[in-house]
Amino acid sequence: MELPVVVRQALGDSAAGVSLRDVSQARDDELLRMVLLSDELGNLQAICRQGDMLDINALNKELGRDLRVMKRREQVRVRERSGLTELPALPSLTGWPTVVDARVDEQAQVALVLGEKNLCMVVPGDEFKAITAAAERREFSVTPDSISVNLDSPERDRDQLHTAIRRFTTLRIQQRLEDTLELPPLPETAQRIIHLRVNPNAVMGDLVDVVESDPSLAAQVVSWASSSFYAAAGQVRSVHDAVSRILGFDLVMNLAMGLSLGRALKQPQDHPEGYVDYWQQAIWQAQSAGVLASMMPRGERPVFGLAYLSGLLHNFGYLVLAQVFPPHFKLVCRALETNPHMDSSLIEHYLLGVTREQIAAELMQNWGMPGEVCLAIRNQKNPGYEGPHAVYGKLLWLGRQLLTRRGVALGAGEEVTAEFYQSLGLDPQKVEDQFDELVHNKDSIMAMAGMMNQ
């Protein structure tokens, strides 16, 4: 394959020294990416190694600017003007001011992804320095290996939470986490539902009473039952009708719990562009956890309701972060936009010293939520966790990978091994088929998420 004309022109005399190879043949530290940024002062492109975290906060401090990732529609226009499906890290393709991370200049050679047939072009390091001679050199990247995330020691979470609070807030350390973080108490409806869950004598009438005591929740339950998602026969006339005939005791309990907790904290005004919103993520993960739990062998199958509730609350830490660290939540959003290849836990630990999963799990534990849910939230990014109730966290991790692979924007994805499926007693092909069907019905998922926002 020949280089595209526009790329050859951008390389100039250096084109003669370029070789083409499959991306898989390039070393991780050789691959480069170019991130398109903008603010009120204009456009700028930043070049760094593909696997590194672009620290947008550090770059803005260095340059005295307020840059963020360019809107997606604008990026599409830039690529269309160049005639390329992906922009390799060549500044002259746009002609904008450019800043190159200092680590790039340490490479003996670099690899620029073309986006055509999975190819990259390999350029000697000295040649790339000459190509980018007009660009500024700054230090604004962080290697993933330098970010240490506490995955295996939940007992250290409280220490990390307190360290983060000392670092980013003026609050004093107090004994109770909800006091320390100035969070509202567990909503009354959620308290009553928890009491129902642990009461072996609870009956449907008890749940109906709880739901009907909250007018907005009652209206929500009737709306869910009446939606096309459940395709109910006949009109839904009451909460009792919705619970007994269509939704069932466990589903209403879990949906009511998720909704009451989600409403306890305000939805943040800022959010990372390119990711689905809070309630969409919640419904996607709840449905996927339920699907996977139902497919496991009967003797090993976890409690469906707890798996569903874990999915519904898996991202609760996102809301907590926005409320606890409001000045720094913006930094997290910008960093997620500039580093879509990195998991949010790495970025949050680097910026805050703590992750949303750690905060949410600690808070849920203090609120008296079921241990299965607390541990699922805490370990959803750690597929190697083998402690108590490990299956719930594994289902969340697997569901995330399967949804991400199908284009649901939940963040960076990882490969799933055959051994991982085997550990859960799941048939990979049957799981793939079920998730194809789940994503095919995404309009129903979106509609249900929309009802949670009302």
Side-chain angles (χ1 to χ4, degrees):
M1 173 186 169
E2 292 187 358
L3 290 173
V5 174
V6 66
V7 173
R8 185 174 293 277
Q9 291 173 344
L11 288 167
D13 295 338
S14 299
V18 169
S19 60
L20 289 176
R21 66 175 65 167
D22 191 271
V23 170
S24 63
Q25 295 177 310
R27 294 206 323 259
D28 289 343
D29 62 346
E30 294 175 345
L31 287 164
L32 303 185
R33 62 187 177 113
M34 186 164 71
V35 183
L36 306 184
L37 307 169
S38 65
D39 64 7
E40 60 182 12
L41 298 179
N43 300 328
L44 180 134
Q45 48 204 2
I47 296 175
C48 64
R49 298 190 304 185
Q50 191 173 81
D52 288 349
M53 172 183 163
L54 193 164
D55 187 346
I56 189 68
N57 183 44
L59 182 59
N60 278 327
K61 286 182 178 178
E62 284 264 337
L63 302 178
R65 297 183 64 170
D66 189 25
L67 294 159
R68 61 181 292 176
V69 171
M70 184 176 289
K71 298 289 186 183
R72 287 196 166 195
R73 60 180 179 275
E74 294 298 328
Q75 293 195 45
V76 170
R77 291 193 187 104
V78 173
R79 291 196 296 269
E80 288 176 345
R81 284 198 294 268
S82 69
L84 300 171
T85 58
E86 185 172 345
L87 290 181
L90 292 172
S92 59
L93 287 173
T94 64
W96 299 341
T98 305
V99 58
V100 176
D101 183 65
R103 283 194 174 88
V104 172
D105 288 341
E106 298 171 2
Q107 303 301 125
Q109 62 182 21
V110 296
L112 314 182
V113 179
L114 281 172
E116 300 288 341
K117 299 182 179 179
N118 210 32
L119 291 176
C120 66
M121 48 188 179
V122 178
V123 182
D126 290 341
E127 290 283 350
F128 190 73
K129 288 180 187 177
I131 293 170
T132 59
E136 283 191 69
R137 260 59 185 182
R138 301 277 183 163
E139 294 184 3
F140 55 86
S141 74
V142 180
T143 61
D145 292 342
S146 68
I147 308 172
S148 176
V149 180
N150 171 34
L151 286 178
D152 300 318
S153 303
E155 62 274 8
R156 290 178 50 211
D157 285 354
R158 176 63 65 96
D159 292 338
Q160 290 195 351
L161 286 167
H162 286 173
T163 299
I165 291 166
R166 285 196 297 271
R167 183 178 172 190
F168 288 103
T169 77
T170 59
L171 300 177
R172 293 186 177 182
I173 306 305
Q174 302 171 20
Q175 285 188 334
R176 294 176 61 82
L177 179 66
E178 58 267 32
D179 293 335
T180 304
L181 301 182
E182 292 189 342
L183 287 170
L186 183 64
E188 182 183 355
T189 300
Q191 292 182 44
R192 295 177 66 185
I193 292 173
I194 288 179
H195 292 154
L196 281 183
R197 179 177 290 284
V198 299
N199 179 6
N201 300 316
V203 295
M204 187 180 301
D206 298 324
L207 178 59
V208 170
D209 288 344
V210 171
V211 173
E212 287 183 337
S213 70
D214 183 332
S216 65
L217 181 57
Q220 198 81 66
V221 168
V222 172
S223 294
W224 287 328
S226 302
S227 71
S228 58
F229 189 85
Y230 294 104
Q235 187 175 358
V236 181
R237 300 182 179 278
S238 66
V239 173
H240 185 277
D241 191 23
V243 178
S244 62
R245 189 166 61 86
I246 300 158
L247 301 176
F249 186 91
D250 278 348
L251 182 57
V252 171
M253 182 178 288
N254 292 325
L255 287 172
M257 177 81 76
L259 188 62
S260 62
L261 290 182
R263 286 179 174 173
L265 301 178
K266 294 179 180 178
Q267 293 281 326
Q269 295 299 309
D270 201 351
H271 61 87
E273 186 179 3
Y275 292 73
V276 298
D277 69 19
Y278 175 81
W279 283 118
Q280 287 180 33
Q281 287 201 32
I283 297 298
W284 276 119
Q285 279 285 53
Q287 291 294 128
S288 66
V291 166
L292 291 170
S294 300
M295 297 183 72
M296 288 182 63
R298 287 189 179 276
E300 305 169 26
R301 192 177 297 171
V303 178
F304 177 89
L306 292 175
Y308 191 95
L309 182 58
S310 298
L312 203 59
L313 295 174
H314 84 281
N315 201 30
F316 190 73
Y318 172 82
L319 299 182
V320 182
L321 275 181
Q323 180 153 327
V324 175
F325 302 112
H328 305 89
F329 180 71
K330 177 182 177 181
L331 304 183
V332 171
C333 292
R334 301 295 80 79
L336 287 169
E337 291 168 349
T338 50
N339 300 283
H341 65 292
M342 295 187 74
D343 188 80
S344 62
S345 61
L346 284 172
I347 291 172
E348 288 159 5
H349 195 274
Y350 173 74
L351 291 173
L352 305 175
V354 70
T355 69
R356 67 183 70 179
E357 290 80 26
Q358 289 174 286
I359 290 179
E362 187 75 15
L363 184 61
M364 294 290 171
Q365 187 174 0
N366 284 348
W367 276 350
M369 293 291 284
E372 293 89 339
V373 175
C374 300
L375 286 164
I377 292 172
R378 171 63 176 77
N379 296 292
Q380 62 181 294
K381 300 290 183 68
N382 181 14
Y385 171 69
E386 296 294 346
H389 309 303
V391 64
Y392 292 94
K394 290 179 184 292
L395 293 184
L396 293 186
W397 183 84
L398 178 57
R400 184 184 187 86
Q401 312 317 317
L402 293 166
L403 291 170
T404 300
R405 194 188 306 164
R406 287 163 174 77
V408 181
L410 302 177
E414 301 176 57
E415 288 299 318
V416 184
T417 64
E419 290 75 18
F420 190 85
Y421 282 110
Q422 188 175 6
S423 72
L424 294 171
L426 293 170
D427 182 317
Q429 188 55 55
K430 290 181 179 178
V431 169
E432 294 285 348
D433 292 343
Q434 283 291 318
F435 271 73
D436 286 342
E437 183 177 348
L438 179 64
V439 174
H440 179 72
N441 295 322
K442 65 180 181 181
D443 288 347
S444 297
I445 298 286
M446 303 292 276
M448 192 168 185
M451 286 190 284
M452 301 290 273
N453 267 320
Q454 292 173 2

